Amino acid sequence: MFFHIVLERNIQLHPRHFGRSLRDNIVSKLMKDVEGTCSGRHGFVVAITGIEEIGKGLIRDGTGFVTFPVKYQCVVFRPFKGEILEAVVSMVNKMGFFAEAGPVQIFVSNHLIPDDMEFQSGDMPNYTTSDGSVKIQKDSEVRLKIIGTRVDATEIFCIGTIKDDFLGVINDPSAT
Amino acid sequence: MSVEPFNRLVKLAARAFYDDITTKGDNQPKNGRSDNRGIAVVVLDALTRRQWVREEDLAKDLKLHSKQLRRTLRFFEEEKLVTRDHRRETAKGAKIFSAAVAATVDGHTKEGDEKIKMHTHSYCCLDYAQIYDVVRYRLHRMKKKLKDELEDKNTVQEYICPSPTCNRRYTALDALRLYSMVDEYFHCEMCNTELVADSDKFVAQEGGDGDDNARRRRREKIKDMLQKMEVQLKPLMDQLARVKDLAVPEFGTLLAWELRASAAARAANGDANGNDPSKSSQNGYGGPPMPFFGETKVEVAFSGTEGQEDKKSEVDHTSLKVLPPWMIKQGMNLTKEQRGGEVKQEAKMDGGVSTTETSEDKKSITENDDKKNLQDEYVKAYYAALLEKQKELEAATKQEELSNAQMLDGEASTSSSRQVGMKSKRVEDEGEEDVEWEEAAPVAAGNANEPYKVDLNVEADATADNEEDDDDDVDWEEG
């Protein structure tokens, strides 16, 4: 699920950036530092949408670096248990398949794939129904439901299922 | 605090779960002699008949070897069915316990170990509260496991390392770490052997892993198992449900129990508190009497079922608090003080005749004399206003009844009284009450009055007050 929230972070800036474009430098440093990171609490920071406030800088003794407390608005993505996501299959093996929904990796184990789909090994490993009408392989798009998340401090990993109504392949790249 | 349902629970659980538990190690040969299956049930049953018991005593009673008993008890301790306590004590210390035992189970006292040497004695006792939870949890886990397996849904796949030295388990949540780029399978983090899915938890692998037939067969089997479980554990579950709302017998720690038991023994010294062994043996498996529990005495006071007389005095003595106007409803037995009125005179507006009569006696003696003059004047003014209002209101009610003919009588009178109720003068309100009397439905009128009483607090007070006044009026006439 996506959220638009306000976060706070201390940005350390080298003295050489001080000058007319101090503010721009702070913002670009913030973007470089924050965007694309993942915190267990808030999820993945997708994009910074605005700066709320830049506090007074504090010069560090010895180094000359200055620490600015920055409040910024950002879009975060946090997967939840029970959430339905659309994801792209990145890898298929006999244990199941991995899929990616943006920054999140999701693993669907083979017992959470419908019973009528069988694993076919080969050049392009895939899961196929007995009549061959539905095929899950690399780059397929699937809709899946998250049934478990493992949230570490800097990483979120999910397991999903496609063994439910309205879940499964939504776009087959080999068919087009 | 009855221990009986809990004992039954323990017995059922023992037979359900610990029937074929053997405490012997697996390496020992199981011949007929050393086969001690069922010992667990025996021990648990014995414990239901006791409270805290020294393990040696228990062993003696059960004719078991104390080592064997200890092994069983340790097992139960791990299963959280039994609490144990160990302490080093002299023979004297042991005597304290013996005394406590004597208080509960006369006859189990052991005399003659008068050694000064310190011994470590172990005691054990059933922990009923925990047993209840443990059994419930066990059932829950059993059901959940089977159901999850059956539905094959929302279960986190587990993987297990097949190598016997490692035997580590992983869940699908670890998949990213386990995945190996070399052969696209999962590998154990420790020994790098290829992991296998731990799917066939209940059924030995028959046929291929992904075999449709095997899977279906497995399903059947699990479904069967679930059904069997429901049937076979039904008594246990029933007992759990029965025990659910009962107070759990609590023996406390060994020390607390001893203190209580000896205190109770002292207190109950001499009186027939069921302390004699013949009686306790008659109890069947009801167990030893528990002197320290004492007689359970329950006193339930039903208010309202007693006589009006009692009620009245109760009201007189206790409830002198001023009730907020929104709490006052018709039919409540309230004094003036409760209503917050300034007049001290106690007034009952209850419909019950007996109440009025009893209160009337009292009133005529105590209060009427003081207020005679005031009341006389009041009565005059009251009747004057009454006559005046009567005509006015009769006209009004007739109009109302005509306009909403299909309405109930009570409601009609309500609306009419609401119309006149706007007037703030008290005398006029009384007049309105009187009209309702003329309709010979005072109760109905009272009921009809209720809805807007709730809404309009001020008016509610007014009508309540004037109804009291009406009551008073009756009293004067009779007195």
Side-chain angles (χ1 to χ4, degrees):
Chain A
M1 206 179 292
F2 291 95
F3 297 94
H4 192 202
I5 56 172
V6 176
L7 293 179
E8 202 173 344
R9 190 183 171 89
N10 288 331
I11 295 291
Q12 286 206 26
L13 210 61
H14 194 271
R16 70 162 177 267
H17 298 299
F18 301 167
R20 266 187 313 179
S21 57
L22 172 66
R23 193 187 153 85
D24 290 344
N25 282 324
I26 291 173
V27 173
S28 59
K29 177 112 195 322
L30 178 71
M31 285 182 164
K32 216 176 87 190
D33 280 4
V34 165
E35 281 183 357
T37 60
C38 171
S39 79
R41 188 171 153 69
H42 298 105
F44 296 91
V45 178
V46 178
I48 291 171
T49 55
I51 306 291
E52 291 247 308
E53 180 194 338
I54 299 178
K56 286 200 167 70
L58 195 75
I59 303 174
R60 315 270 305 205
D61 287 344
T63 60
F65 273 84
V66 176
T67 310
F68 292 95
V70 184
K71 267 191 186 164
Y72 58 98
Q73 301 162 338
C74 60
V75 175
V76 293
F77 174 62
R78 170 95 163 66
F80 288 97
K81 201 170 159 181
E83 191 178 347
I84 309 281
L85 282 181
E86 283 164 19
V88 180
V89 175
S90 57
M91 184 201 316
V92 178
N93 62 23
K94 77 161 186 184
M95 296 299 193
F97 65 84
F98 287 88
E100 288 171 359
V104 192
Q105 289 244 19
I106 301 148
F107 174 66
V108 178
S109 75
N110 56 8
H111 83 297
L112 295 171
I113 296 170
D115 289 338
D116 59 344
M117 297 191 90
E118 294 256 329
F119 178 68
Q120 318 278 335
S121 56
D123 194 23
M124 195 78 161
N126 58 58
Y127 282 89
T128 320
T129 52
S130 49
D131 59 355
S133 60
V134 182
K135 194 185 256 182
I136 295 175
Q137 59 188 14
K138 195 173 180 316
D139 294 331
S140 298
E141 287 173 24
V142 291
R143 181 173 295 137
L144 48 83
K145 185 165 96 178
I146 294 174
I147 58 163
T149 57
R150 205 187 61 174
V151 179
D152 298 338
T154 59
E155 188 184 43
I156 297 180
F157 182 70
C158 301
I159 52 176
T161 176
I162 56 169
K163 206 183 204 178
D164 213 336
D165 296 342
F166 308 108
L167 300 182
V169 178
I170 49 176
N171 166 33
D172 191 358
S174 64
T176 54
Chain B
M1 189 135 94
S2 167
V3 80
E4 187 45 45
F6 284 91
N7 280 341
R8 193 173 145 70
L9 174 71
V10 172
K11 283 171 188 176
L12 283 169
R15 277 154 187 79
F17 301 133
Y18 303 106
D19 207 12
D20 54 352
I21 296 290
T22 169
T23 48
K24 282 264 191 285
D26 286 334
N27 48 358
Q28 277 166 335
K30 275 205 198 95
N31 52 38
R33 236 180 117 73
S34 73
D35 184 16
N36 59 0
R37 274 180 297 173
I39 204 92
V41 178
V42 172
V43 171
L44 276 180
D45 276 9
L47 279 173
T48 60
R49 273 175 251 123
R50 289 163 177 78
Q51 295 173 10
W52 277 100
V53 64
R54 195 192 293 143
E55 284 171 15
E56 289 132 62
D57 294 351
L58 186 63
K60 209 175 227 178
D61 290 347
L62 293 176
K63 309 246 184 310
L64 275 175
H65 200 272
S66 67
K67 270 186 186 166
Q68 201 179 2
L69 179 72
R70 192 161 302 144
R71 211 178 293 133
T72 316
L73 284 174
R74 198 159 54 231
F75 169 73
F76 283 135
E77 195 182 15
E78 279 165 14
E79 293 279 317
K80 309 263 184 230
L81 299 181
V82 161
T83 46
R84 292 173 85 201
D85 200 348
H86 314 279
R87 64 175 180 200
R88 288 180 63 75
E89 57 193 11
T90 56
K92 205 176 165 195
K95 252 192 156 177
I96 298 174
F97 175 77
S98 300
V101 168
T104 57
V105 212
D106 257 2
H108 284 293
T109 334
K110 227 170 54 170
E111 301 292 344
D113 47 3
E114 292 286 332
K115 280 170 269 172
I116 314 294
K117 230 176 120 191
M118 295 282 273
H119 281 295
T120 304
H121 289 286
S122 302
Y123 299 85
C124 58
C125 180
L126 289 176
D127 187 346
Y128 288 100
Q130 206 164 30
I131 287 171
Y132 173 60
D133 289 338
V134 162
V135 172
R136 250 177 357 151
Y137 183 64
R138 192 173 179 134
L139 285 174
H140 170 77
R141 291 294 303 186
M142 282 166 79
K143 252 187 242 169
K144 186 171 168 1
K145 204 166 182 180
L146 282 173
K147 281 223 173 95
D148 278 359
E149 193 74 7
L150 188 64
E151 280 159 25
D152 221 12
K153 216 193 312 188
N154 292 0
T155 49
V156 177
Q157 175 82 58
E158 291 194 342
Y159 300 96
I160 192 164
C161 180
S163 94
T165 52
C166 180
N167 230 355
R168 276 175 73 104
R169 302 177 75 89
Y170 300 93
T171 65
L173 287 164
D174 301 313
L176 207 56
R177 279 188 290 144
L178 306 174
Y179 182 76
S180 140
M181 282 303 174
V182 184
D183 59 354
E184 302 199 323
Y185 293 137
F186 293 154
H187 285 261
C188 178
E189 282 181 320
M190 303 294 286
C191 54
N192 207 30
T193 27
E194 196 176 304
L195 297 180
V196 294
D198 183 29
S199 57
D200 294 325
K201 286 172 197 155
F202 299 105
V203 186
Q205 212 147 338
E206 312 158 33
D209 191 11
D211 193 346
D212 218 27
N213 218 10
R215 204 174 269 190
R216 205 177 324 118
R217 234 177 300 149
R218 206 178 89 216
R219 255 181 121 76
E220 291 283 301
K221 209 157 183 175
I222 291 166
K223 205 180 272 179
D224 204 41
M225 214 142 125
L226 199 61
Q227 253 164 16
K228 251 193 237 161
M229 196 183 104
E230 290 282 347
V231 173
Q232 289 176 357
L233 294 182
K234 184 109 198 339
L236 187 58
M237 287 183 230
D238 287 350
Q239 190 62 26
L240 273 178
R242 218 168 292 145
V243 152
K244 194 174 142 212
D245 294 324
L246 297 179
V248 182
E250 196 66 65
F251 301 132
T253 60
L254 176 60
L255 261 173
W257 179 80
E258 264 179 13
L259 282 177
R260 263 187 307 164
S262 51
R266 246 176 285 129
N269 217 2
D271 71 34
N273 207 7
N275 249 0
D276 64 289
S278 58
K279 206 174 168 188
S280 70
S281 63
Q282 274 168 14
N283 272 355
Y285 62 95
M290 295 166 204
F292 55 86
F293 288 152
E295 285 284 314
T296 316
K297 279 178 190 141
V298 181
E299 274 181 36
V300 184
F302 291 104
S303 62
T305 53
E306 290 158 49
Q308 292 278 353
E309 205 81 21
D310 294 347
K311 201 169 166 186
K312 184 179 164 307
S313 60
E314 200 179 284
V315 166
D316 282 346
H317 292 132
T318 57
S319 54
L320 287 173
K321 275 185 203 154
V322 177
L323 290 183
W326 46 265
M327 271 184 77
I328 298 173
K329 276 191 184 163
Q330 200 150 28
M332 281 172 89
N333 264 331
L334 293 178
T335 59
K336 271 284 179 196
E337 289 91 331
Q338 277 175 299
R339 284 177 198 286
E342 44 290 293
V343 193
K344 288 261 171 56
Q345 182 182 4
E346 185 216 10
K348 299 265 174 185
M349 46 163 292
D350 197 12
V353 186
S354 60
T355 323
T356 14
E357 271 167 10
T358 48
S359 63
E360 171 196 307
D361 296 338
K362 201 179 163 192
K363 252 179 265 160
S364 55
I365 298 161
T366 57
E367 284 158 349
N368 259 9
D369 297 347
D370 312 0
K371 307 200 169 176
K372 199 76 181 173
N373 295 336
L374 191 75
Q375 283 164 354
D376 277 346
E377 290 210 349
Y378 187 74
V379 171
K380 270 177 200 164
Y382 176 68
Y383 277 119
L386 207 139
L387 279 170
E388 214 177 3
K389 272 284 125 188
Q390 215 159 316
K391 286 165 189 170
E392 209 178 306
L393 277 166
E394 261 168 1
T397 38
K398 260 173 199 161
Q399 249 184 351
E400 281 292 324
E401 274 167 9
L402 278 175
S403 61
N404 32 11
Q406 66 268 68
M407 271 177 88
L408 289 173
D409 278 7
E411 278 170 352
S413 68
T414 314
S415 49
S416 74
S417 61
R418 189 178 290 150
Q419 206 178 33
V420 232
M422 291 304 176
K423 280 145 202 161
S424 57
K425 260 174 81 185
R426 195 165 165 174
V427 192
E428 283 165 4
D429 284 345
E430 279 155 16
E432 157 211 332
E433 279 296 322
D434 195 48
V435 172
E436 280 164 0
W437 291 355
E438 285 195 351
E439 286 169 6
V443 184
N447 289 341
N449 268 345
E450 264 176 1
Y452 79 88
K453 257 174 129 179
V454 180
D455 296 336
L456 305 169
N457 291 332
V458 186
E459 237 178 84
D461 249 358
T463 41
D465 278 349
N466 69 46
E467 270 180 32
E468 282 155 30
D469 291 337
D470 294 339
D471 254 358
D472 292 346
D473 196 29
V474 174
D475 290 351
W476 302 332
E477 280 173 4
E478 285 170 6

